[in-house]
Amino acid sequence: MTLVHRVLYPRPIISLEDHVARGGGKGLKAARRMEPAAIIERVLESGLRGRGGAGFPTGRKWQTVVENRTPESAPTVIVNAAEGEPGTFKDRTILRRNPYLVLEGALIAARTVGADLIVFAMKRSFAGEVDRMRAAIEEAEDAGWSEGVRMLVFEGPDEYLYGEESALLETIDGRWPFPRVVPTFRRGLLSGTSVEDPPAPAVVNNTETLANVARIVARGAAWFRTYGTPESPGTMVCTVTGSTRRHGVGEVRMGTPLREVIDAIGGGPRRGRTVKAVLSGVAVGVIPAEKLDTPVSYEGLAAIGSGLGSGAFIVFDDSDDMASVAAGVARFLAVESCGQCSPCKLDGINLAQRLAKLSGSEARQHDFEVIQKRLTTVADRSRCFLATQQQNVVTSILENFPEEMAAHLSGERPASEPALIAELLDIRGEVAYLDERHLLKQPDWSYNKNDSGTVPVEYYANSVPHWGVG
Ligand SMILES: Cc1cc2nc3c(=O)[nH]c(=O)nc-3n(C[C@H](O)[C@H](O)[C@H](O)COP(=O)(O)O)c2cc1C
Ligand code: SF4
């Protein structure tokens, strides 16, 4: 059986009582009997790594926050449920099935680092999940689970950068989602603290990461490691979309071959088609068809120049045009860039425009040379990872599919529009719905008819956003 059920329940858990009836609550109970250092030790031994993209060891992150605590103010736990990576729908699926599991993990994290506040950072547009989380918080408080830890749902904007951890903190603090220089373990939320106070750190963890915590604490590290590989223990909740028979979300053991994941969740390629390539979100190198038997694990996918990211596998078949995919990725990332680092925004826009010309079979050799040059500069002096994502994905597509690029350059290949690469709105009836509004989004982040020609960080410099807390 390829699909397993550790954090992704086969059917929705409807109440806290239902969660407890299925073994829920044991992690929190066990954590209350343990010293925080022992909880960190157990999470470290389990080898749990962050499921939000970077795969950072969770125990180490918690340890660092403990070391950076200040006597003046307590740290905060932020549950990253922004889920903005194109091709990802796993966090919302986990929350739809069992928000109590995530909440239990967050309470354990809070107890471990000594936090007095948990913020569930969601998007205003995730209305159903927001309601479900609020109801779960109320039930947990009524049942005495919170023990003085305040829990809030924050309804953030749809911007991709909102999911980047330091931008997430900026947004909760009432500003725009522009990444910070200072890491979140050094400086967490500033709201509620005074200027004289040294800033308290924040733990920012992905939803799926926290969904793993309760069972690790209750059942132990050895149990967690019965699935997965030594470097990637446990499971991964993967999303499969694109040119497959169906779209969906499923949980697999780390180390399962990618082809098996695509078959089990997506039903394999569509009738009469073959897989040409797979994107693992829009952060790492493309996976060509010859590498489809690579194990889905941090080390397995990194070894072929790609990465696990958030387990978002976007599949392309032999009818898809890779120049159009490159143009679509470049457009998404260039639009979403905030402009604090000029190369990221300006080279990104330049890349998107020239790649659109290439997929439209209108590019000249000079355009192609500029594309190659800009790929070497786009990530210069970048504050966050978005610029490197642009470099990674586009470079890898150009390198893996040189004949397709040459055929567009010579005009041999028919013109195609940039592919729609955007955040997922939903997966319903085995069909993924992408946010088509992204096609209208301007590089200044407005939906105006014309772009202002300036970058978001300047465009919004003097305006105060209105995000919702409650
Ligand atoms: C541009 C960008 C967007 C991101 N979006 C998300 C997101 O939507 N959800 C998420 O969990 N992490 C996202 N991340 C990763 C977070 O910055 C951070 O690494 C993560 O929340 C850490 O949690 P983890 O250690 O549990 O994985 C994003 C990173 C970047 C650079
Ligand atoms: S790298 Fe790009 S997205 Fe990140 S802070 Fe700089 S300009 Fe903004």
Side-chain angles (χ1 to χ4, degrees), residues 4-36:
V4 295
H5 300 286
R6 269 192 179 179
V7 296
L8 188 63
Y9 283 49
R11 65 164 190 84
I13 300 300
I14 53 167
S15 63
L16 186 65
E17 203 183 341
D18 193 6
H19 177 56
V20 172
R22 296 172 169 277
K26 288 183 184 156
L28 187 59
K29 240 188 217 154
R32 284 181 181 157
R33 289 192 300 264
M34 291 165 77
E35 286 299 318

Side-chain angles (χ1 to χ4, degrees), residues 418-449:
L420 173 63
I421 300 288
E423 295 165 349
L424 285 176
L425 295 177
D426 205 351
I427 299 184
R428 252 181 290 127
E430 302 186 340
V431 178
Y433 294 87
L434 273 68
D435 187 1
E436 290 184 10
R437 281 177 320 157
H438 203 275
L439 295 172
L440 303 174
K441 190 167 180 177
Q442 300 286 359
D444 65 10
W445 289 3
S446 76
Y447 290 86
N448 297 338
K449 193 155 174 285

